Amino acid sequence: MSAVLKDAPQLSPMRESDLDEVLAIERAIYGHPWTRGNFVDSINAGYECRCLRLAGELIGYFVLMVAAQEGHLLNLSIAAAHQRRGHGRDLLREAADLARRLGARNVFLEVRPSNRGAQALYTHFGFRKIGTRRGYYPAQAGREDAIVLTLPLK
Ligand SMILES: CC(C)(COP(=O)(O)OP(=O)(O)OC[C@H]1O[C@@H](n2cnc3c(N)ncnc32)[C@H](O)[C@@H]1OP(=O)(O)O)[C@@H](O)C(=O)NCCC(=O)NCCS
């Protein structure tokens, strides 16, 4: 196998045995991280939870819920040391493709108005704003709204 192929990031189902690594990333990159229970519940609920590994190292993950022909991307994360190298865009593409294969006609997600980097990723990918959820997120001073974005899946 060529070095290029061997070093390509690999996607795999997220298991409870991945959660120590997942939580280390989660706690490092979010002010209000998901808890272990949030991930365990997502796995047990049958949500589509995937890990992205590069040479064995966990570098990202997503959690996607698909129901009633609609995908809801609940979590998309890339470890700080691996950001701005295209992995987030690749992982988003994997999540959207998976939602499509599972019958979704669109995928939607929430993002903090303060999270400019993620908004840039999503809008460059083709997501469009469809609304706002007032006080959706916990924030340092009270609550923060969520911008709701959607992407039609062809
Ligand atoms: C948001 C996140 C998933 C993006 O992943 P990433 O691997 O860093 O992003 P990519 O390298 O694939 O970026 C793709 C494009 O998105 C945009 N983008 C991504 N991060 C950006 C940033 N911090 N500032 C501005 N634009 C950004 C750029 O257009 C970028 O293309 P470019 O690098 O050619 O300019 C990642 O930064 C992350 O996990 N952040 C913390 C958690 C988070 O905010 N998750 C999303 C919650 S809704």
Side-chain angles (χ1 to χ4, degrees):
M1 190 186 284
S2 78
V4 172
L5 278 178
K6 203 169 66 186
D7 291 345
Q10 304 290 323
L11 205 62
S12 60
M14 184 187 290
R15 308 199 186 286
E16 287 200 33
S17 55
D18 295 309
L19 291 185
D20 286 348
E21 291 166 280
V22 167
L23 285 165
I25 295 174
E26 182 77 13
R27 289 170 182 152
I29 64 175
Y30 291 105
H32 299 273
W34 277 27
T35 64
R36 184 178 295 271
N38 293 142
F39 286 102
V40 169
D41 287 350
S42 296
I43 292 169
N44 290 340
Y47 295 170
E48 306 299 328
C49 307
R50 298 287 185 276
C51 285
L52 187 71
R53 290 185 179 276
L54 184 61
E57 179 191 357
L58 185 76
I59 64 163
Y61 46 87
F62 70 74
V63 176
L64 169 76
M65 183 178 75
V66 181
Q69 299 185 325
E70 197 155 66
H72 188 179
L73 189 57
L74 299 166
N75 191 318
L76 177 85
S77 302
I78 298 293
H82 295 272
Q83 292 177 4
R84 293 312 289 270
R85 296 180 194 172
H87 295 307
R89 183 167 35 219
D90 291 347
L91 202 52
L92 184 56
R93 188 174 298 115
E94 293 283 356
D97 285 349
L98 178 57
R100 184 188 298 110
R101 291 200 301 278
L102 293 172
R105 293 187 177 165
N106 57 71
V107 60
F108 74 97
L109 56 81
E110 289 86 13
V111 61
R112 289 177 188 261
S114 59
N115 192 345
R116 301 282 180 199
Q119 285 177 63
L121 167 67
Y122 299 135
T123 53
H124 289 168
F125 198 86
F127 280 82
R128 292 292 170 259
K129 181 176 175 178
I130 52 165
T132 302
R133 294 195 208 281
R134 298 275 168 225
Y136 183 80
Y137 290 113
Q140 257 186 343
R143 310 284 301 180
E144 182 175 2
D145 293 346
I147 297 172
V148 185
L149 301 176
T150 189
L151 176 78
L153 300 172
K154 296 178 190 93

